[in-house]
Amino acid sequence: MFDTSHPLYPIIGQWHAKIRLAWEAKRKLFQDDADECMKFFNGPYDFLYGLKTNQGGKGFVYTGDMSDAPRPTFGMTINKTAELVQLFGPALYHRNPVRKVNPRKQPVLPPEAFGVGQNPAGMLLFQKIAMKSQAQQTQDQARAALLEHYLNWTPAALDLKTESRFAIVEALIKGAGLLMPEVHAPEGSTLRLVGSFNKSIDDLVIDPDAERLSEAKWVALRYTEPYWQVEETYQLPPESLKKYASGESSEQQSQTASDPNGDYNRKRGITNDTLTYWKVYSKMGFGGRLSGLNQAPDAPLRQATDPLGKFLYLVICEGCPYPINVPPEITAALINIPDLTMQQMAQQEVMRRCQWPTPYWADDAWPFTMLAFHPVPRQTWPMSHLKPGLGELKAINWIWSMLVSKIRTACRDFIGVMKAAGEELKNTIKSGGDYEIIEIEQMVGSIDQAVKFLQHPTFNPEIYTILTGLMNLFDKRTGLTELLYGLSATQMRSAEEAAVKGEQVNIRPDDMADRVENWMTDVSRMEAFCARWHLTGQDVAPAVGEAGAWLWDQLISASNPGIILHQQEYRIEAGSARKPNRAREANNMQQAMQQLFLPLLQYSQASGDVVPVNALMAAWARSIDLEAGPFVLKPPPPPPMPPAANQAV
């Protein structure tokens, strides 16, 4: 329960109410489908055959009375979701992409536009502007070189490949994945690094009033950590947050387990008492304008919080009446102290503590980059790649389970034996060898009338036709065509047919790969801005050297943030993140060697320039996993000095 006597109780309580509304909106638009897709990927697989409720239209819903619905005795899962992840994942992200940073090009203007050739003043103006532009271009090129080198150094140091793979897998299964650029300080080191780290999409809620992420006025991210760690991070008194943390008692654990929203509210602490809290990033101020507050503009709460600005950052947890990132004595001083000077000092301290850690709002962005393959118009939440095929996937699983259950039943053998046949005949049938002679003393009628095998009726072959049709429909929905598996139902009759099929089968993976590369471009842009905001030359010296560290302080740390955001162009080298086709690459390089090696060798012998031929041999060696060092040519020695020069020396 909140401490209703605290002056900020109305605002903090409304923030929690808005988070619950956002969570409910997310659940309907995104989370229910995401959770269901995740169950198909990693279980629990028995969820599909539970007949307790119809889950409000979600899950595998039967019509009529649920208790009368047929339930297979053998529940199985055809894990097409795992196939999707294993086939698409490696094609979307194979290695850390090559990041490119270039200064934005300025237009080339004709000198005549300045009056050059018509009056001396025009010439002087043109020369002055040209010299200033050249100096600015030199600085921009140095700035771009530093950023590019650093942005290509940190991915390996901070394992961006693993973090990105987690986000891509979540995007494939659930519909969206996140990376968050953050400052990382290794334990026991004063060095600070900037990298991007995965945060589950399950922990994000977005302003439910927005139809696009860029239109949202606030977002919130959920975290669960030991309460003492949160106290250390935000410099709060020891044990001050313990009463808001989840305990380890069996009673508390059972309450959390029985609560359908238990995972939303908190996670159970197994080795520590954990605290679930939210980081709220607001573009609408401290919260004085939240609906439901009923605060007039001249109310004390509005007067105290409105001057704090629009772009604020709050850390809140259920039950705590004040933001965790602001000590309670400071928040109380906003309203309770009548002295105007003291109140202004309190406002300045709150503003300092509630600023976004990195002001991504300057780029109209949030502190994360979202990867979504299928955005939905007029909706902040995207659609899962699996959602269009969920109906077919459920039907496939249920039909296969019913068929396997039918096999389990049909595999049993029943033998009908007349009582008059005698015990000896019955015993021989039950336990005789594979070749037995049975003597029958007397029998009325034929032996078929005394002994009869009871057989189940055969399966209706139309069931398999329906099942095949459903699997084909699901494969079309998701792109799991036979060519992705390296299979083909029919033999291709020409190279042109193979090329057409290959082009068509790659339409969907290529589009998804383009989205991944655009996403990684945004990630590099945000990392560059985060590095500008937090790092000094001392932090980047291990990556760029002492000279680069000095220039970092001069050209990046001291620069206007807008220069980093708007005067530099960030991009990912095309295809640098995708898994290469080794056979095709080797074949292409073999053809290139046949066509280009001899002309380039002749050029190098005539000019002494061995760079082109060495580059060709290096690419060829890389395509077949060889070390290029032994094959490269050394540049020729410089020509001898002329006799006159020797005499002068």
Side-chain angles (χ1 to χ4, degrees):
M1 295 293 295
F2 282 104
D3 177 10
T4 57
S5 64
H6 194 281
L8 290 183
Y9 156 73
I11 287 182
I12 301 303
Q14 280 300 317
W15 272 121
H16 282 288
K18 299 307 182 250
I19 288 174
R20 284 190 287 270
L21 288 174
W23 183 268
E24 184 62 23
K26 176 189 179 184
R27 185 187 64 78
K28 294 178 180 179
L29 297 174
F30 176 82
Q31 195 65 50
D32 283 347
D33 292 324
D35 292 342
E36 195 169 50
C37 293
M38 191 65 187
K39 289 176 183 177
F40 275 110
F41 176 67
N42 195 37
Y45 298 118
D46 58 353
F47 83 98
L48 189 61
Y49 308 106
L51 304 178
K52 293 182 180 180
T53 65
N54 64 2
Q55 300 176 359
K58 298 291 182 180
F60 193 73
V61 181
Y62 296 97
T63 58
D65 187 0
M66 297 288 288
S67 61
D68 295 337
R71 181 173 182 174
T73 56
F74 188 94
M76 63 180 296
T77 295
I78 308 298
N79 204 331
K80 302 290 286 185
T81 308
E83 296 178 28
L84 173 77
V85 172
Q86 293 163 10
L87 285 173
F88 279 81
L92 296 177
Y93 198 97
H94 173 64
R95 56 181 178 267
N96 288 326
V98 178
R99 295 166 166 182
K100 297 291 185 182
V101 183
N102 294 305
R104 294 194 181 277
K105 295 182 179 180
Q106 298 179 355
V108 179
L109 302 176
E112 293 76 13
F114 296 86
V116 174
Q118 299 177 4
N119 59 76
M123 174 63 75
L124 292 175
L125 176 63
F126 176 74
Q127 291 176 346
K128 181 179 179 180
I129 293 177
M131 291 176 61
K132 184 177 179 180
S133 177
Q134 181 62 37
Q136 182 64 45
Q137 186 177 3
T138 301
Q139 289 187 355
D140 287 345
Q141 289 175 345
R143 189 179 290 116
L146 286 171
L147 287 172
E148 180 176 311
H149 188 83
Y150 186 77
L151 292 177
N152 283 301
W153 183 78
T154 54
L158 297 176
D159 199 12
L160 176 64
K161 182 164 63 175
T162 299
E163 299 293 331
S164 299
R165 188 63 178 266
F166 281 131
I168 289 174
V169 168
E170 198 167 34
L172 283 171
I173 299 171
K174 298 179 180 179
L178 300 179
L179 279 180
M180 297 191 64
E182 295 177 345
V183 178
H184 173 70
E187 291 290 339
S189 173
T190 59
L191 182 67
R192 295 183 301 167
L193 303 172
V194 166
S196 293
F197 304 92
N198 174 241
K199 179 70 175 170
S200 176
I201 192 68
D202 296 343
D203 295 324
L204 173 68
V205 294
I206 302 173
D207 177 9
D209 291 335
E211 293 183 347
R212 300 174 63 181
L213 182 58
S214 59
E215 298 173 356
K217 296 302 181 184
W218 63 272
V219 301
L221 288 155
R222 179 178 59 182
Y223 292 81
T224 300
E225 297 174 353
Y227 75 91
W228 51 265
Q229 184 175 330
V230 182
E231 292 171 349
E232 291 177 357
T233 301
Y234 295 100
Q235 300 176 352
L236 295 176
E239 307 295 310
S240 59
L241 296 178
K242 185 174 183 179
K243 58 184 176 182
Y244 308 122
S246 62
E248 297 181 37
S249 68
S250 58
E251 180 182 359
Q252 289 172 311
Q253 292 189 15
S254 63
Q255 289 175 354
T256 305
S258 61
D259 182 2
N261 292 322
D263 187 57
Y264 155 68
N265 294 322
R266 59 179 55 86
K267 294 181 180 178
R268 290 174 291 172
I270 303 301
T271 60
N272 289 278
D273 288 343
T274 57
L275 180 74
T276 296
Y277 63 96
W278 294 87
K279 294 182 179 180
V280 180
Y281 294 86
S282 171
K283 294 182 179 180
M284 54 178 288
F286 199 86
R289 299 176 184 272
L290 288 172
S291 61
L293 276 177
N294 298 322
Q295 292 282 338
D298 58 348
L301 197 58
R302 285 282 300 273
Q303 287 183 336
T305 57
D306 282 357
L308 298 177
K310 293 194 301 182
F311 305 103
L312 295 179
Y313 160 74
L314 304 174
V315 182
I316 61 177
C317 75
E318 192 73 32
C320 185
Y322 57 87
I324 294 176
N325 55 327
V326 184
E329 62 272 13
I330 297 178
T331 55
L334 281 174
I335 301 173
N336 290 345
I337 297 180
D339 183 82
L340 182 60
T341 302
M342 296 295 293
Q343 191 178 66
Q344 290 176 346
M345 292 176 61
Q347 286 179 344
Q348 292 175 0
E349 181 63 17
V350 172
M351 288 176 62
R352 185 184 70 83
R353 291 174 176 267
C354 291
Q355 294 297 312
W356 286 28
T358 306
Y360 295 113
W361 51 262
D363 195 30
D364 197 24
W366 297 103
F368 56 81
T369 52
M370 180 187 293
L371 171 64
F373 295 117
H374 307 292
V376 179
R378 301 191 65 181
Q379 183 176 307
T380 55
W381 294 105
M383 180 180 65
S384 168
H385 190 75
L386 286 168
K387 185 176 180 179
L390 277 179
E392 290 87 351
L393 183 60
K394 296 170 186 176
I396 290 168
N397 280 273
W398 188 76
I399 292 174
W400 270 117
S401 297
M402 294 299 289
L403 286 175
V404 175
S405 300
K406 178 71 174 177
I407 293 173
R408 175 181 178 273
T409 303
C411 283
R412 294 184 296 166
D413 291 328
F414 297 93
I415 304 175
V417 182
M418 295 182 63
K419 289 185 177 181
E423 290 298 325
E424 183 178 357
L425 176 59
K426 296 177 184 178
N427 292 335
T428 302
I429 292 174
K430 290 169 61 178
S431 59
D434 59 352
Y435 184 77
E436 288 281 344
I437 298 176
I438 303 175
E439 295 182 356
I440 302 176
E441 295 183 358
Q442 61 181 15
M443 179 174 291
V444 179
S446 65
I447 191 172
D448 288 340
Q449 295 176 338
V451 180
K452 186 71 173 180
F453 278 84
L454 304 181
Q455 294 183 344
H456 289 266
T458 59
F459 288 163
N460 188 337
E462 293 183 359
I463 295 177
Y464 297 103
T465 303
I466 295 173
L467 186 58
T468 301
L470 287 171
M471 296 184 74
N472 288 335
L473 287 174
F474 178 80
D475 291 345
K476 290 179 180 179
R477 303 281 189 273
T478 58
L480 290 175
T481 62
E482 59 186 14
L483 292 178
L484 282 180
Y485 295 87
L487 305 173
S488 179
T490 58
Q491 185 175 1
M492 298 184 187
R493 293 167 292 184
S494 65
E496 182 178 357
E497 179 185 357
V500 170
K501 286 188 174 182
E503 181 179 352
Q504 294 300 315
V505 79
N506 284 322
I507 288 178
R508 206 168 340 200
D510 284 346
D511 176 66
M512 296 170 74
D514 288 340
R515 289 185 178 273
V516 170
E517 292 185 347
N518 293 336
W519 172 59
M520 292 307 299
T521 298
D522 294 337
V523 169
S524 64
R525 176 187 175 93
M526 293 186 68
E527 284 187 20
F529 183 67
C530 186
R532 148 64 183 88
W533 198 259
H534 295 284
L535 302 187
T536 64
Q538 183 180 357
D539 295 314
V540 301
V544 301
E546 292 299 325
W550 184 86
L551 281 177
W552 184 280
D553 286 332
Q554 304 301 315
L555 299 179
I556 295 181
S557 296
S559 66
N560 187 311
I563 294 177
I564 305 300
L565 291 172
H566 306 302
Q567 288 187 213
Q568 306 294 328
E569 181 182 18
Y570 303 89
R571 63 182 178 85
I572 299 298
E573 189 172 282
S576 62
R578 301 188 63 183
K579 185 176 181 179
N581 186 323
R582 307 295 294 180
R584 182 178 61 187
E585 185 179 2
N587 183 58
N588 290 342
M589 287 310 306
Q590 187 66 29
Q591 295 182 18
M593 286 289 287
Q594 294 175 0
Q595 299 294 327
L596 298 176
F597 178 74
L598 187 57
L600 291 179
L601 179 62
Q602 294 173 348
Y603 165 77
S604 66
Q605 291 174 343
S607 64
D609 181 9
V610 297
V611 173
V613 69
N614 282 343
L616 177 65
M617 287 192 293
W620 164 77
R622 186 170 57 250
S623 71
I624 57 176
D625 295 326
L626 287 179
E627 177 61 41
F631 304 102
V632 298
L633 302 178
K634 295 181 180 180
M641 298 179 62
N646 289 331
Q647 293 175 3
V649 174

